[in-house]
Amino acid sequence: MSLLDYFRSSKASSASLAKERLQILVAYERSSDSQPAYLPELQKELLAVIQRYVNINKDAMTINLEQTDNRETLELNIVLPDAHRV
Amino acid sequence: MARIIVVTSGKGGVGKTTTSAAISMGLAKKGHKTVVIDFDVGLRNLDLIMGCERRVVYDIINVINGEATLNQALIKDKNCNLLSILPASQTRNKDALTLEGVEKILEELSKDFKYIVCDSPAGIETGAHLAMYFADDAFVVTNPEVSSVRDSDRMLGLLSSKSRRAERGEEPIKEYLLLSRYSPERVKSGEMLSLDDVQDILSLHLLGVIPESKSVLTSSNAGTPVILDEKSDAGQAYADIVARYLGETRPHRFIDEKSGFFRKLFGGK
């Protein structure tokens, strides 16, 4: 460790920023790769059906397919607007 | 049976052709009969890097179309008689490269050669797909840079799903990392992703680190694979890589800064 390293280490390096950005991106891309191709279309159609009854926006719904060795779980998460809560 | 190696990266300009030329020469120099195939139809460049551009008569598409035999299209390397080059076509449509055509060529080459090195084009189109489809081993060439690492990760996904081994449910393609254009000085000053950073994301078996080196350009200027420049750091890095691939144990080099009194004192860039 040189004398100059002491001063250098005080500010976040651009390499660590690069690594952080990559880790997030790669994790996201790997997970979307492993999902079936029909999932985005399914999400779109489900959203359209729900919107006929409840006024929700696109961001209020998440869809996720999880695969384990012997079963698949389709998880659908919809956040309803306040007015619809009883 | 030959071992088929694909040199791939997804991203362009990271050193696939430089690597293909160097490792095929290295394998041949070690006494193994090797052929290197350029899959970049329409933009061939392996012939230039190998220094045989004026001896190209027939190419891979001629062979697929039955206009030439494989022996007519193969070019014997001028530096090493165990090495042959199968050039890509420069003018034709890339759709001329077919799965059946490539399979037939690889089958025929397998009878004669110990190693078949497939130099993949950039991207994920037909040429890149066919270069990796029949592979046993993949050399993933990556630069310590965000877009290159991301593309390498994409290629790893394709290698494990869109290859013959994957489709047949056989043992998967062995994937190796070749980290090229590495600059230990810039890593130390925090401007470049380190080997550990890249490995945290890709976690591959490391074959070697190739330092950023002037000799890569001077070798390509002359049309001689950089591995023949035995004095250069890049040449030595590739020689190590070939030796490690063949099962030798060699300590990794070019990862840390060259030490020197003034560098230590000032942490020079």
Side-chain angles (χ1 to χ4, degrees):
Chain A
M1 179 121 174
S2 76
L3 194 61
L4 281 180
D5 283 338
Y6 174 76
F7 296 104
R8 279 205 194 114
S9 59
S10 60
K11 69 170 197 274
S13 70
S14 64
S16 58
L17 179 64
K19 187 184 178 184
E20 204 183 298
R21 290 174 61 215
L22 263 174
Q23 280 175 320
I24 294 166
L25 183 67
V26 164
Y28 171 76
E29 287 180 344
R30 280 179 192 164
S31 69
S32 51
D33 269 0
S34 62
Q35 298 201 322
Y38 63 74
L39 214 57
E41 191 61 25
L42 175 66
Q43 175 164 11
K44 225 169 98 186
E45 288 186 29
L46 282 171
L47 185 71
V49 171
I50 293 163
Q51 279 173 335
R52 266 187 242 154
Y53 302 93
V54 188
N55 185 23
I56 61 165
N57 69 33
K58 197 169 151 275
D59 302 328
M61 186 169 111
T62 53
I63 188 167
N64 194 24
L65 188 74
E66 270 184 35
Q67 283 165 303
T68 56
D69 287 340
N70 50 11
R71 71 168 171 206
E72 289 187 352
T73 316
L74 182 70
E75 184 187 277
L76 191 65
N77 195 349
I78 305 156
V79 181
L80 294 176
D82 282 344
H84 288 270
R85 285 199 192 131
V86 185
Chain B
M1 263 310 267
R3 194 89 189 155
I4 303 174
I5 303 168
V6 60
V7 178
T8 184
S9 70
K11 190 177 182 298
V14 298
K16 280 183 299 297
T17 302
T18 300
T19 299
S20 299
I23 60 151
S24 56
M25 177 62 77
L27 288 166
K29 282 271 179 190
K30 286 266 192 186
H32 304 290
K33 206 171 173 203
T34 302
V35 57
V36 56
I37 308 174
D38 191 347
F39 274 83
D40 205 345
V41 171
L43 290 170
R44 78 162 172 239
N45 274 318
L46 182 68
D47 54 336
L48 260 182
I49 303 301
M50 302 291 299
C52 65
E53 71 277 7
R54 296 175 64 175
R55 292 194 288 144
V56 175
V57 183
Y58 296 110
D59 57 57
I60 188 169
I61 303 296
N62 292 132
V63 179
I64 287 176
N65 291 345
E67 296 150 0
T69 65
L70 200 47
N71 277 328
Q72 284 177 305
L74 286 174
I75 303 168
K76 267 244 166 20
D77 186 81
K78 59 183 185 233
N79 292 299
C80 183
N81 61 7
L82 289 177
L83 179 59
S84 298
I85 299 125
L86 182 57
S89 157
Q90 182 66 317
T91 50
R92 314 236 192 162
N93 188 328
K94 63 175 163 45
D95 295 333
L97 209 56
T98 61
L99 190 83
E100 296 73 25
V102 171
E103 184 174 26
K104 216 172 139 213
I105 286 176
L106 292 177
E107 252 169 38
E108 212 173 320
L109 290 172
S110 286
K111 293 176 197 153
D112 230 17
F113 291 89
K114 181 85 186 290
Y115 291 102
I116 302 172
V117 177
C118 303
D119 181 20
S120 172
I124 51 172
E125 299 297 312
T126 313
H129 175 240
L130 292 179
M132 72 157 69
Y133 188 76
F134 299 97
D136 300 304
D137 299 310
F139 286 13
V140 180
V141 184
T142 306
N143 290 170
E145 181 270 327
V146 283
S147 54
S148 175
V149 176
R150 178 199 206 174
D151 288 0
S152 292
D153 191 70
R154 302 281 297 156
M155 293 318 285
L156 292 171
L158 295 176
L159 283 166
S160 60
S161 62
K162 299 265 162 29
S163 64
R164 184 168 69 173
R165 278 173 175 272
E167 285 174 8
R168 287 182 175 176
E170 295 171 351
E171 195 185 327
I173 297 175
K174 282 209 181 78
E175 300 155 344
Y176 299 95
L177 174 67
L178 284 76
L179 191 59
S180 62
R181 307 198 71 163
Y182 198 73
S183 168
E185 292 80 15
R186 302 192 74 185
V187 169
K188 197 173 180 214
S189 64
E191 315 165 42
M192 184 181 269
L193 290 166
S194 69
L195 170 63
D196 289 343
D197 291 339
V198 174
Q199 282 292 54
D200 277 350
I201 291 161
L202 299 180
S203 25
L204 291 174
H205 182 89
L206 178 70
L207 262 193
V209 171
I210 305 113
E212 174 79 60
S213 167
K214 287 180 180 172
S215 56
V216 171
L217 181 61
T218 52
S219 293
S220 85
N221 287 343
T224 49
V226 68
I227 199 168
L228 294 176
D229 186 356
E230 289 165 14
K231 287 196 193 99
S232 72
D233 44 6
Q236 290 174 20
Y238 279 117
D240 282 358
I241 284 168
V242 170
R244 285 188 200 109
Y245 174 70
L246 293 174
E248 282 179 47
T249 322
R250 291 200 182 182
H252 283 286
R253 297 194 275 168
F254 313 110
I255 296 168
D256 297 313
E257 261 182 307
K258 291 179 201 114
S259 53
F261 176 72
F262 286 102
R263 279 178 193 269
K264 271 190 186 144
L265 192 64
F266 298 111
K269 288 199 178 184

